[in-house]
Amino acid sequence: MAHMPPVQQEPGPSTTGQTPHVKIASFTLPPGVKGDIKGELVVCIESLHWNYRKPPQQVQVRLRWWGGTVDTVVPFHSTRGAGAAFPVTCGPRYLSRYLKDMGNLVVSVEECPSGRTVGTISIAVSQLDVGKPIEASVPCYGAQEQLLATADVSMCVHYTQLMSSFEINEHLASTDKQLPLYPVAGVQCERHKQRQTTAGQEKSAQAAMTAAGKENTPGISNQSGPCCGTRWACKDFTCATEPIG
């Protein structure tokens, strides 16, 4: 199967742990989202522990992002690993939604210089968020689903000063169950049910008023509210003390 062309890379001095990574200049996350660069997402394949005697002497890793039109290819160093930093052009809320929809990042391990695929690694990026980095050991499987190696991987998200602390804290408060602003599912459902019940009562009362064909009583509005019966008018959603007619 033909591979997508790799994106251009620029060396960067920053590191995650001991793994250096390259700055990806021409590919942003989420793919196709235009805007100012607000942060970066760093992916590192820190090491490969091969499971057979004669592994490839030199490999590279190819990353495929959901919705992207190009792949990212990064050389893998036997002692330093491989890493890439992708510019982020959206806030933490939308990046988190994109990663959850994506589910997994597929990383291909390829032999150099032939480009032959040796195996694939799958990283659960749905768990990645601001302040919630990923550090895991994941399997590298071959074409026949055989275990070829174990990869130590890490991922993290950093935002620059262009992103306000309020927006980041608001996102964290809505995703962290330990914080008081985290939305409670039961409360949300109850409020939704109340809104639906109120809307249904208003429609029923309005229909009854129309069918009755009664004229408006002076000082009494024929706008129905949540407390209306079929023969009662309301004023400011408070039932009148006298029936119509």
Side-chain angles (χ1 to χ4, degrees):
M1 181 178 63
H3 292 299
M4 296 180 183
V7 301
Q8 296 179 355
Q9 305 166 4
E10 293 182 357
S14 56
T15 61
T16 299
Q18 298 298 319
T19 303
H21 55 263
V22 293
K23 297 285 187 180
I24 307 303
S26 57
F27 187 88
T28 59
L29 292 174
V33 176
K34 305 297 182 182
D36 296 331
I37 296 176
K38 300 180 179 181
E40 65 179 12
L41 188 154
V42 181
V43 184
C44 290
I45 311 297
E46 298 175 357
S47 60
L48 284 170
H49 306 285
W50 295 102
N51 200 36
Y52 59 101
R53 292 183 179 181
K54 294 182 179 181
Q57 294 184 353
Q58 187 175 1
V59 296
Q60 62 187 18
V61 294
R62 181 182 294 267
L63 294 83
R64 301 183 182 95
W65 291 98
W66 179 49
T69 57
V70 293
D71 292 345
T72 302
V73 178
V74 182
F76 181 86
H77 302 276
S78 59
T79 57
R80 295 179 298 167
F86 298 88
V88 174
T89 55
C90 69
R93 177 182 177 184
Y94 297 102
L95 179 63
S96 176
R97 182 181 301 175
Y98 165 75
L99 294 174
K100 286 183 179 355
D101 289 342
M102 179 178 179
N104 294 278
L105 171 65
V106 177
V107 180
S108 297
V109 180
E110 300 176 344
E111 188 176 24
C112 289
S114 66
R116 179 182 66 88
T117 300
V118 178
T120 57
I121 299 168
S122 181
I123 306 175
V125 295
S126 59
Q127 303 173 15
L128 179 64
D129 207 339
V130 179
K132 297 179 181 179
I134 293 176
E135 293 183 358
S137 295
V138 295
C140 176
Y141 291 112
Q144 305 300 323
E145 298 297 325
Q146 72 275 28
L147 178 63
L148 299 180
T150 300
D152 295 325
V153 303
S154 64
M155 297 182 67
C156 61
V157 178
H158 301 292
Y159 278 97
T160 65
Q161 294 180 352
L162 293 176
M163 177 62 58
S164 68
S165 59
F166 175 79
E167 185 173 353
I168 294 177
N169 291 335
E170 184 182 35
H171 170 70
L172 293 176
S174 66
T175 57
D176 191 342
K177 296 181 180 180
Q178 302 293 330
L179 298 177
L181 295 180
Y182 182 81
V184 181
V187 174
Q188 289 180 326
C189 291
E190 186 63 28
R191 290 176 179 174
H192 181 66
K193 290 180 180 179
Q194 289 177 353
R195 287 194 295 267
Q196 286 185 324
T197 300
T198 301
Q201 290 175 336
E202 291 177 0
K203 289 182 179 180
S204 298
Q206 289 174 352
M209 292 290 293
T210 301
K214 300 295 182 178
E215 296 183 355
N216 296 342
T217 302
I220 301 295
S221 170
N222 65 355
Q223 181 181 10
S224 55
C227 55
C228 291
T230 57
R231 291 181 54 78
W232 295 85
C234 287
K235 183 176 183 180
D236 296 330
F237 295 118
T238 302
C239 286
T241 56
E242 297 181 358
I244 298 176

